[in-house]
Amino acid sequence: MLIDNGTIIVTGSSGYVASDLIPRLKRNHEVFGVDVYPSEHTSILADINSRNVSESIDNLSHNKFTLINLASTRLDFGVTADDYFRTNVGCHEAFLKSLSGNKIRKFIHISSVAAFDGKNISYSEELNCDDAYRATKYMQEELIQNWCNRQGIELVIVYPSAIFSDDPRSDTNIGKLQSVSKFIPFIPEIEVIKSLTYLPFFSQFIIDSVSDEIPAGKYLTIEKPSLTVSKIAQIMSGHSIKLVRVPFFSVILKIIANCLHVLGFFGKIDLNLTPNRVTKLFSDTSYSNVKFENIDTEIYASRNCEKLPEILVRLIKGKKNGQ
């Protein structure tokens, strides 16, 4: 197999983003997927820190290629801090050591807005799952950035938020909301602002990065404007969903979450509603008006033809019309 500058290696090839990105890439590029999980897009079935991966990549060609790194812990909830560290940091450290830097033309790393918070969290094995995810995403990014700097490799880092697409996914929070919102007659009013990332736009941005339309740098990849939780649910419902103001709603949820958390220790019940998740629900994660050092907050949004409310309305209309 011959590799030229148009060839791409994608880690995490069985994941959500890869399921949309890789078919688009294959229209104009030769693509090799790497993942420990089998999928139609996986060419090399192995963990990224295994010798099989580095040897397979070395055997492809002596020419340079673009590396798109999607490999990461699949869940941002429900596993131990050690699990996050092993996948997000340890495996990547071994993977980078095994790579021949002079064969990589460009490194595109898919980080997360969670890494912004992770910068201020000191990692320890005692961290709860949410904080461990944030901390290790930041550590992963720093590891890759330092390696690329030493190797002299052009690096693009993108920061998506909660990702959604035309087809709801039951394993994502926004996908669950897409699926159930049309059946909800009312919701408690939550005026906290959240950011979202539309997968087709996100994939195209990565593709443009591959073709050098997007220069090296760090990019906040969220749709604008960011919306309140209530507004997102209203639009996705496709009908006149009623907002109900519930006094002390966040306090009530925290009490319920603490009770469920205690019961979970005894194996009685576990609805994945922890106090930390409630805190996250009522935390502003818009990021759209925050200026981060050396991170471009405008280029991604300015390239997209639709605003977030328009995208959500179109998706609901498409579902109603059976599209």
Side-chain angles (χ1 to χ4, degrees), residues 177-219:
L177 180 59
Q178 279 178 273
S179 298
V180 306
S181 58
K182 60 183 178 181
F183 302 111
I184 301 175
F186 63 89
I187 58 169
E189 187 172 12
I190 303 177
E191 291 303 307
V192 177
I193 301 176
K194 297 290 184 179
S195 59
L196 300 178
T197 297
Y198 183 44
L199 183 53
F201 286 174
F202 184 56
S203 293
Q204 188 58 52
F205 191 81
I206 296 173
I207 292 169
D208 292 342
S209 299
V210 170
S211 60
D212 296 331
E213 291 184 34
I214 306 297
K218 299 180 179 182
Y219 300 91

mmCIF file of all heavy atoms in Angstrom, residues 177-219:
data_model
loop_
_atom_site.group_PDB
_atom_site.id
_atom_site.type_symbol
_atom_site.label_atom_id
_atom_site.label_comp_id
_atom_site.label_asym_id
_atom_site.label_seq_id
_atom_site.Cartn_x
_atom_site.Cartn_y
_atom_site.Cartn_z
ATOM 1 N N LEU A 177 -31.471 13.388 24.610
ATOM 2 C CA LEU A 177 -32.407 14.506 24.611
ATOM 3 C C LEU A 177 -33.145 14.591 23.280
ATOM 4 O O LEU A 177 -34.352 14.848 23.244
ATOM 5 C CB LEU A 177 -31.660 15.809 24.882
ATOM 6 C CG LEU A 177 -32.509 17.088 24.914
ATOM 7 C CD1 LEU A 177 -33.586 16.984 25.983
ATOM 8 C CD2 LEU A 177 -31.622 18.310 25.174
ATOM 9 N N GLN A 178 -32.427 14.352 22.176
ATOM 10 C CA GLN A 178 -33.074 14.347 20.870
ATOM 11 C C GLN A 178 -34.186 13.313 20.804
ATOM 12 O O GLN A 178 -35.242 13.548 20.211
ATOM 13 C CB GLN A 178 -32.042 14.039 19.766
ATOM 14 C CG GLN A 178 -31.199 15.222 19.327
ATOM 15 C CD GLN A 178 -30.182 14.811 18.288
ATOM 16 O OE1 GLN A 178 -29.087 14.387 18.605
ATOM 17 N NE2 GLN A 178 -30.541 14.937 17.030
ATOM 18 N N SER A 179 -33.938 12.158 21.386
ATOM 19 C CA SER A 179 -34.888 11.044 21.295
ATOM 20 C C SER A 179 -36.128 11.257 22.147
ATOM 21 O O SER A 179 -37.238 10.922 21.746
ATOM 22 C CB SER A 179 -34.199 9.734 21.706
ATOM 23 O OG SER A 179 -33.130 9.435 20.837
ATOM 24 N N VAL A 180 -35.946 11.827 23.346
ATOM 25 C CA VAL A 180 -37.068 11.901 24.286
ATOM 26 C C VAL A 180 -37.782 13.249 24.308
ATOM 27 O O VAL A 180 -38.902 13.343 24.806
ATOM 28 C CB VAL A 180 -36.606 11.565 25.725
ATOM 29 C CG1 VAL A 180 -35.906 10.225 25.763
ATOM 30 C CG2 VAL A 180 -35.679 12.654 26.283
ATOM 31 N N SER A 181 -37.158 14.285 23.740
ATOM 32 C CA SER A 181 -37.715 15.631 23.882
ATOM 33 C C SER A 181 -39.102 15.769 23.257
ATOM 34 O O SER A 181 -39.939 16.525 23.754
ATOM 35 C CB SER A 181 -36.763 16.668 23.268
ATOM 36 O OG SER A 181 -36.526 16.385 21.898
ATOM 37 N N LYS A 182 -39.371 15.050 22.176
ATOM 38 C CA LYS A 182 -40.672 15.187 21.515
ATOM 39 C C LYS A 182 -41.816 14.620 22.357
ATOM 40 O O LYS A 182 -42.985 14.883 22.084
ATOM 41 C CB LYS A 182 -40.643 14.501 20.154
ATOM 42 C CG LYS A 182 -40.339 13.011 20.198
ATOM 43 C CD LYS A 182 -40.259 12.448 18.780
ATOM 44 C CE LYS A 182 -39.896 10.970 18.802
ATOM 45 N NZ LYS A 182 -39.799 10.413 17.435
ATOM 46 N N PHE A 183 -41.476 13.832 23.383
ATOM 47 C CA PHE A 183 -42.513 13.247 24.240
ATOM 48 C C PHE A 183 -42.681 14.024 25.547
ATOM 49 O O PHE A 183 -43.529 13.668 26.363
ATOM 50 C CB PHE A 183 -42.161 11.795 24.567
ATOM 51 C CG PHE A 183 -41.989 10.931 23.350
ATOM 52 C CD1 PHE A 183 -40.739 10.446 22.989
ATOM 53 C CD2 PHE A 183 -43.077 10.607 22.550
ATOM 54 C CE1 PHE A 183 -40.570 9.648 21.871
ATOM 55 C CE2 PHE A 183 -42.923 9.810 21.426
ATOM 56 C CZ PHE A 183 -41.666 9.336 21.082
ATOM 57 N N ILE A 184 -41.876 15.070 25.736
ATOM 58 C CA ILE A 184 -41.902 15.800 27.003
ATOM 59 C C ILE A 184 -42.920 16.935 26.924
ATOM 60 O O ILE A 184 -42.778 17.832 26.096
ATOM 61 C CB ILE A 184 -40.509 16.379 27.324
ATOM 62 C CG1 ILE A 184 -39.473 15.262 27.413
ATOM 63 C CG2 ILE A 184 -40.552 17.168 28.622
ATOM 64 C CD1 ILE A 184 -38.060 15.760 27.617
ATOM 65 N N PRO A 185 -43.952 16.949 27.783
ATOM 66 C CA PRO A 185 -44.943 18.032 27.753
ATOM 67 C C PRO A 185 -44.456 19.295 28.468
ATOM 68 O O PRO A 185 -44.860 20.393 28.154
ATOM 69 C CB PRO A 185 -46.149 17.427 28.471
ATOM 70 C CG PRO A 185 -45.555 16.415 29.400
ATOM 71 C CD PRO A 185 -44.346 15.860 28.704
ATOM 72 N N PHE A 186 -43.584 19.110 29.454
ATOM 73 C CA PHE A 186 -43.050 20.266 30.177
ATOM 74 C C PHE A 186 -41.708 19.892 30.791
ATOM 75 O O PHE A 186 -41.409 18.712 30.992
ATOM 76 C CB PHE A 186 -44.014 20.713 31.288
ATOM 77 C CG PHE A 186 -44.234 19.681 32.351
ATOM 78 C CD1 PHE A 186 -43.407 19.615 33.463
ATOM 79 C CD2 PHE A 186 -45.287 18.770 32.243
ATOM 80 C CE1 PHE A 186 -43.606 18.660 34.448
ATOM 81 C CE2 PHE A 186 -45.493 17.812 33.223
ATOM 82 C CZ PHE A 186 -44.656 17.759 34.335
ATOM 83 N N ILE A 187 -40.923 20.912 31.061
ATOM 84 C CA ILE A 187 -39.627 20.702 31.710
ATOM 85 C C ILE A 187 -39.399 21.823 32.714
ATOM 86 O O ILE A 187 -39.907 22.932 32.551
ATOM 87 C CB ILE A 187 -38.453 20.694 30.710
ATOM 88 C CG1 ILE A 187 -38.408 22.015 29.943
ATOM 89 C CG2 ILE A 187 -38.522 19.506 29.782
ATOM 90 C CD1 ILE A 187 -37.144 22.187 29.138
ATOM 91 N N PRO A 188 -38.634 21.553 33.764
ATOM 92 C CA PRO A 188 -38.251 22.630 34.673
ATOM 93 C C PRO A 188 -37.364 23.633 33.933
ATOM 94 O O PRO A 188 -36.549 23.241 33.087
ATOM 95 C CB PRO A 188 -37.466 21.904 35.774
ATOM 96 C CG PRO A 188 -37.919 20.484 35.681
ATOM 97 C CD PRO A 188 -38.184 20.241 34.244
ATOM 98 N N GLU A 189 -37.548 24.875 34.207
ATOM 99 C CA GLU A 189 -36.774 25.909 33.523
ATOM 100 C C GLU A 189 -35.329 25.913 34.030
ATOM 101 O O GLU A 189 -35.073 26.025 35.223
ATOM 102 C CB GLU A 189 -37.409 27.275 33.761
ATOM 103 C CG GLU A 189 -36.774 28.380 32.942
ATOM 104 C CD GLU A 189 -37.544 29.681 33.045
ATOM 105 O OE1 GLU A 189 -38.422 29.786 33.930
ATOM 106 O OE2 GLU A 189 -37.278 30.584 32.244
ATOM 107 N N ILE A 190 -34.401 25.757 33.100
ATOM 108 C CA ILE A 190 -32.977 25.786 33.424
ATOM 109 C C ILE A 190 -32.327 26.812 32.508
ATOM 110 O O ILE A 190 -32.143 26.570 31.314
ATOM 111 C CB ILE A 190 -32.317 24.406 33.237
ATOM 112 C CG1 ILE A 190 -33.032 23.348 34.086
ATOM 113 C CG2 ILE A 190 -30.839 24.466 33.600
ATOM 114 C CD1 ILE A 190 -32.496 21.945 33.895
ATOM 115 N N GLU A 191 -31.984 27.956 33.050
ATOM 116 C CA GLU A 191 -31.470 29.059 32.249
ATOM 117 C C GLU A 191 -29.947 29.044 32.146
ATOM 118 O O GLU A 191 -29.338 30.066 31.852
ATOM 119 C CB GLU A 191 -31.942 30.388 32.844
ATOM 120 C CG GLU A 191 -33.443 30.612 32.694
ATOM 121 C CD GLU A 191 -33.901 30.554 31.232
ATOM 122 O OE1 GLU A 191 -33.317 31.276 30.404
ATOM 123 O OE2 GLU A 191 -34.811 29.767 30.937
ATOM 124 N N VAL A 192 -29.354 27.893 32.374
ATOM 125 C CA VAL A 192 -27.905 27.752 32.246
ATOM 126 C C VAL A 192 -27.563 27.582 30.768
ATOM 127 O O VAL A 192 -28.241 26.854 30.038
ATOM 128 C CB VAL A 192 -27.408 26.540 33.056
ATOM 129 C CG1 VAL A 192 -25.914 26.343 32.863
ATOM 130 C CG2 VAL A 192 -27.734 26.730 34.528
ATOM 131 N N ILE A 193 -26.507 28.233 30.313
ATOM 132 C CA ILE A 193 -26.133 28.205 28.899
ATOM 133 C C ILE A 193 -25.168 27.055 28.633
ATOM 134 O O ILE A 193 -24.215 26.827 29.376
ATOM 135 C CB ILE A 193 -25.497 29.539 28.480
ATOM 136 C CG1 ILE A 193 -26.481 30.687 28.721
ATOM 137 C CG2 ILE A 193 -25.111 29.516 27.005
ATOM 138 C CD1 ILE A 193 -25.920 32.046 28.428
ATOM 139 N N LYS A 194 -25.432 26.339 27.536
ATOM 140 C CA LYS A 194 -24.597 25.214 27.127
ATOM 141 C C LYS A 194 -24.149 25.382 25.678
ATOM 142 O O LYS A 194 -24.842 25.988 24.859
ATOM 143 C CB LYS A 194 -25.382 23.898 27.253
ATOM 144 C CG LYS A 194 -25.816 23.544 28.676
ATOM 145 C CD LYS A 194 -24.629 23.161 29.544
ATOM 146 C CE LYS A 194 -25.072 22.713 30.931
ATOM 147 N NZ LYS A 194 -23.931 22.312 31.775
ATOM 148 N N SER A 195 -23.008 24.819 25.360
ATOM 149 C CA SER A 195 -22.510 24.819 23.987
ATOM 150 C C SER A 195 -22.659 23.427 23.382
ATOM 151 O O SER A 195 -22.619 22.419 24.087
ATOM 152 C CB SER A 195 -21.043 25.256 23.946
ATOM 153 O OG SER A 195 -20.241 24.389 24.734
ATOM 154 N N LEU A 196 -22.839 23.381 22.066
ATOM 155 C CA LEU A 196 -22.980 22.126 21.329
ATOM 156 C C LEU A 196 -22.100 22.167 20.086
ATOM 157 O O LEU A 196 -21.750 23.239 19.583
ATOM 158 C CB LEU A 196 -24.436 21.903 20.904
ATOM 159 C CG LEU A 196 -25.511 21.819 21.995
ATOM 160 C CD1 LEU A 196 -26.880 21.657 21.355
ATOM 161 C CD2 LEU A 196 -25.224 20.670 22.942
ATOM 162 N N THR A 197 -21.779 20.993 19.578
ATOM 163 C CA THR A 197 -21.004 20.870 18.343
ATOM 164 C C THR A 197 -21.752 19.957 17.383
ATOM 165 O O THR A 197 -22.078 18.817 17.741
ATOM 166 C CB THR A 197 -19.609 20.289 18.630
ATOM 167 O OG1 THR A 197 -18.888 21.183 19.479
ATOM 168 C CG2 THR A 197 -18.814 20.089 17.343
ATOM 169 N N TYR A 198 -22.012 20.462 16.174
ATOM 170 C CA TYR A 198 -22.748 19.707 15.156
ATOM 171 C C TYR A 198 -21.754 18.866 14.357
ATOM 172 O O TYR A 198 -20.843 19.396 13.717
ATOM 173 C CB TYR A 198 -23.490 20.681 14.247
ATOM 174 C CG TYR A 198 -24.357 20.036 13.192
ATOM 175 C CD1 TYR A 198 -25.181 18.962 13.474
ATOM 176 C CD2 TYR A 198 -24.356 20.534 11.889
ATOM 177 C CE1 TYR A 198 -25.987 18.384 12.510
ATOM 178 C CE2 TYR A 198 -25.169 19.968 10.905
ATOM 179 C CZ TYR A 198 -25.978 18.902 11.225
ATOM 180 O OH TYR A 198 -26.774 18.334 10.254
ATOM 181 N N LEU A 199 -21.919 17.546 14.395
ATOM 182 C CA LEU A 199 -20.926 16.628 13.855
ATOM 183 C C LEU A 199 -20.566 16.867 12.389
ATOM 184 O O LEU A 199 -19.378 16.876 12.048
ATOM 185 C CB LEU A 199 -21.380 15.187 14.074
ATOM 186 C CG LEU A 199 -20.411 14.083 13.638
ATOM 187 C CD1 LEU A 199 -19.035 14.277 14.250
ATOM 188 C CD2 LEU A 199 -20.966 12.708 14.010
ATOM 189 N N PRO A 200 -21.521 17.068 11.465
ATOM 190 C CA PRO A 200 -21.124 17.311 10.065
ATOM 191 C C PRO A 200 -20.226 18.537 9.885
ATOM 192 O O PRO A 200 -19.271 18.499 9.106
ATOM 193 C CB PRO A 200 -22.471 17.486 9.350
ATOM 194 C CG PRO A 200 -23.424 16.687 10.164
ATOM 195 C CD PRO A 200 -22.982 16.895 11.587
ATOM 196 N N PHE A 201 -20.520 19.614 10.610
ATOM 197 C CA PHE A 201 -19.674 20.811 10.531
ATOM 198 C C PHE A 201 -18.294 20.524 11.127
ATOM 199 O O PHE A 201 -17.266 20.971 10.606
ATOM 200 C CB PHE A 201 -20.315 21.972 11.285
ATOM 201 C CG PHE A 201 -21.494 22.595 10.580
ATOM 202 C CD1 PHE A 201 -22.252 23.571 11.200
ATOM 203 C CD2 PHE A 201 -21.862 22.200 9.297
ATOM 204 C CE1 PHE A 201 -23.339 24.151 10.566
ATOM 205 C CE2 PHE A 201 -22.954 22.767 8.645
ATOM 206 C CZ PHE A 201 -23.687 23.744 9.291
ATOM 207 N N PHE A 202 -18.293 19.781 12.218
ATOM 208 C CA PHE A 202 -17.044 19.437 12.890
ATOM 209 C C PHE A 202 -16.168 18.571 11.987
ATOM 210 O O PHE A 202 -14.957 18.812 11.848
ATOM 211 C CB PHE A 202 -17.352 18.711 14.197
ATOM 212 C CG PHE A 202 -16.149 18.382 15.031
ATOM 213 C CD1 PHE A 202 -15.273 19.373 15.440
ATOM 214 C CD2 PHE A 202 -15.896 17.073 15.419
ATOM 215 C CE1 PHE A 202 -14.167 19.074 16.226
ATOM 216 C CE2 PHE A 202 -14.798 16.760 16.190
ATOM 217 C CZ PHE A 202 -13.929 17.757 16.600
ATOM 218 N N SER A 203 -16.772 17.579 11.337
ATOM 219 C CA SER A 203 -16.020 16.712 10.422
ATOM 220 C C SER A 203 -15.419 17.517 9.282
ATOM 221 O O SER A 203 -14.259 17.305 8.890
ATOM 222 C CB SER A 203 -16.933 15.618 9.859
ATOM 223 O OG SER A 203 -17.330 14.711 10.866
ATOM 224 N N GLN A 204 -16.197 18.444 8.738
ATOM 225 C CA GLN A 204 -15.698 19.246 7.627
ATOM 226 C C GLN A 204 -14.526 20.119 8.060
ATOM 227 O O GLN A 204 -13.573 20.327 7.293
ATOM 228 C CB GLN A 204 -16.817 20.124 7.055
ATOM 229 C CG GLN A 204 -16.433 20.856 5.775
ATOM 230 C CD GLN A 204 -16.000 19.905 4.675
ATOM 231 O OE1 GLN A 204 -16.714 18.947 4.348
ATOM 232 N NE2 GLN A 204 -14.823 20.149 4.103
ATOM 233 N N PHE A 205 -14.572 20.614 9.275
ATOM 234 C CA PHE A 205 -13.468 21.433 9.780
ATOM 235 C C PHE A 205 -12.187 20.600 9.870
ATOM 236 O O PHE A 205 -11.099 21.077 9.531
ATOM 237 C CB PHE A 205 -13.826 21.996 11.152
ATOM 238 C CG PHE A 205 -12.884 23.050 11.647
ATOM 239 C CD1 PHE A 205 -12.990 24.360 11.222
ATOM 240 C CD2 PHE A 205 -11.872 22.738 12.553
ATOM 241 C CE1 PHE A 205 -12.128 25.347 11.676
ATOM 242 C CE2 PHE A 205 -10.999 23.708 13.014
ATOM 243 C CZ PHE A 205 -11.126 25.021 12.575
ATOM 244 N N ILE A 206 -12.314 19.355 10.312
ATOM 245 C CA ILE A 206 -11.147 18.470 10.381
ATOM 246 C C ILE A 206 -10.622 18.183 8.981
ATOM 247 O O ILE A 206 -9.405 18.192 8.733
ATOM 248 C CB ILE A 206 -11.508 17.158 11.102
ATOM 249 C CG1 ILE A 206 -11.896 17.446 12.558
ATOM 250 C CG2 ILE A 206 -10.339 16.180 11.061
ATOM 251 C CD1 ILE A 206 -12.439 16.234 13.298
ATOM 252 N N ILE A 207 -11.530 17.948 8.036
ATOM 253 C CA ILE A 207 -11.127 17.687 6.651
ATOM 254 C C ILE A 207 -10.391 18.883 6.068
ATOM 255 O O ILE A 207 -9.378 18.742 5.373
ATOM 256 C CB ILE A 207 -12.360 17.330 5.795
ATOM 257 C CG1 ILE A 207 -12.919 15.969 6.239
ATOM 258 C CG2 ILE A 207 -12.018 17.306 4.309
ATOM 259 C CD1 ILE A 207 -14.271 15.646 5.655
ATOM 260 N N ASP A 208 -10.889 20.075 6.347
ATOM 261 C CA ASP A 208 -10.221 21.284 5.869
ATOM 262 C C ASP A 208 -8.859 21.461 6.525
ATOM 263 O O ASP A 208 -7.934 22.022 5.927
ATOM 264 C CB ASP A 208 -11.092 22.512 6.129
ATOM 265 C CG ASP A 208 -12.346 22.527 5.273
ATOM 266 O OD1 ASP A 208 -12.387 21.796 4.267
ATOM 267 O OD2 ASP A 208 -13.292 23.267 5.616
ATOM 268 N N SER A 209 -8.724 20.976 7.735
ATOM 269 C CA SER A 209 -7.420 21.011 8.403
ATOM 270 C C SER A 209 -6.439 20.074 7.705
ATOM 271 O O SER A 209 -5.254 20.388 7.560
ATOM 272 C CB SER A 209 -7.560 20.613 9.874
ATOM 273 O OG SER A 209 -8.403 21.502 10.568
ATOM 274 N N VAL A 210 -6.941 18.922 7.275
ATOM 275 C CA VAL A 210 -6.105 17.968 6.552
ATOM 276 C C VAL A 210 -5.567 18.595 5.266
ATOM 277 O O VAL A 210 -4.395 18.433 4.909
ATOM 278 C CB VAL A 210 -6.901 16.688 6.216
ATOM 279 C CG1 VAL A 210 -6.115 15.791 5.263
ATOM 280 C CG2 VAL A 210 -7.250 15.932 7.495
ATOM 281 N N SER A 211 -6.433 19.329 4.573
ATOM 282 C CA SER A 211 -6.048 19.921 3.285
ATOM 283 C C SER A 211 -5.350 21.265 3.439
ATOM 284 O O SER A 211 -5.147 21.980 2.454
ATOM 285 C CB SER A 211 -7.282 20.092 2.399
ATOM 286 O OG SER A 211 -8.226 20.951 3.023
ATOM 287 N N ASP A 212 -4.994 21.620 4.672
ATOM 288 C CA ASP A 212 -4.238 22.837 4.982
ATOM 289 C C ASP A 212 -5.030 24.125 4.778
ATOM 290 O O ASP A 212 -4.439 25.212 4.743
ATOM 291 C CB ASP A 212 -2.934 22.896 4.169
ATOM 292 C CG ASP A 212 -1.985 21.766 4.523
ATOM 293 O OD1 ASP A 212 -2.034 21.305 5.685
ATOM 294 O OD2 ASP A 212 -1.212 21.336 3.655
ATOM 295 N N GLU A 213 -6.349 24.028 4.655
ATOM 296 C CA GLU A 213 -7.157 25.251 4.645
ATOM 297 C C GLU A 213 -7.204 25.871 6.033
ATOM 298 O O GLU A 213 -7.439 27.077 6.182
ATOM 299 C CB GLU A 213 -8.581 24.944 4.169
ATOM 300 C CG GLU A 213 -8.693 24.572 2.706
ATOM 301 C CD GLU A 213 -10.134 24.367 2.277
ATOM 302 O OE1 GLU A 213 -11.011 25.072 2.811
ATOM 303 O OE2 GLU A 213 -10.374 23.490 1.428
ATOM 304 N N ILE A 214 -7.019 25.037 7.036
ATOM 305 C CA ILE A 214 -6.939 25.495 8.424
ATOM 306 C C ILE A 214 -5.493 25.354 8.874
ATOM 307 O O ILE A 214 -4.954 24.248 8.899
ATOM 308 C CB ILE A 214 -7.861 24.663 9.352
ATOM 309 C CG1 ILE A 214 -9.291 24.645 8.819
ATOM 310 C CG2 ILE A 214 -7.801 25.186 10.776
ATOM 311 C CD1 ILE A 214 -9.962 25.991 8.769
ATOM 312 N N PRO A 215 -4.834 26.455 9.227
ATOM 313 C CA PRO A 215 -3.422 26.366 9.629
ATOM 314 C C PRO A 215 -3.249 25.779 11.015
ATOM 315 O O PRO A 215 -4.219 25.585 11.763
ATOM 316 C CB PRO A 215 -2.975 27.838 9.603
ATOM 317 C CG PRO A 215 -4.223 28.619 9.867
ATOM 318 C CD PRO A 215 -5.333 27.836 9.219
ATOM 319 N N ALA A 216 -2.022 25.484 11.373
ATOM 320 C CA ALA A 216 -1.715 24.968 12.699
ATOM 321 C C ALA A 216 -2.226 25.930 13.761
ATOM 322 O O ALA A 216 -2.210 27.151 13.592
ATOM 323 C CB ALA A 216 -0.206 24.768 12.847
ATOM 324 N N GLY A 217 -2.732 25.369 14.849
ATOM 325 C CA GLY A 217 -3.256 26.200 15.922
ATOM 326 C C GLY A 217 -4.265 25.467 16.760
ATOM 327 O O GLY A 217 -4.498 24.264 16.584
ATOM 328 N N LYS A 218 -4.910 26.198 17.667
ATOM 329 C CA LYS A 218 -5.924 25.644 18.551
ATOM 330 C C LYS A 218 -7.255 26.333 18.270
ATOM 331 O O LYS A 218 -7.317 27.562 18.194
ATOM 332 C CB LYS A 218 -5.526 25.856 20.019
ATOM 333 C CG LYS A 218 -4.212 25.187 20.409
ATOM 334 C CD LYS A 218 -3.894 25.451 21.882
ATOM 335 C CE LYS A 218 -2.606 24.772 22.307
ATOM 336 N NZ LYS A 218 -2.324 24.999 23.756
ATOM 337 N N TYR A 219 -8.316 25.521 18.143
ATOM 338 C CA TYR A 219 -9.598 26.061 17.713
ATOM 339 C C TYR A 219 -10.736 25.567 18.600
ATOM 340 O O TYR A 219 -10.887 24.361 18.826
ATOM 341 C CB TYR A 219 -9.880 25.658 16.266
ATOM 342 C CG TYR A 219 -8.840 26.154 15.299
ATOM 343 C CD1 TYR A 219 -7.728 25.370 14.980
ATOM 344 C CD2 TYR A 219 -8.943 27.411 14.713
ATOM 345 C CE1 TYR A 219 -6.758 25.819 14.101
ATOM 346 C CE2 TYR A 219 -7.978 27.873 13.825
ATOM 347 C CZ TYR A 219 -6.885 27.073 13.533
ATOM 348 O OH TYR A 219 -5.925 27.524 12.655
#
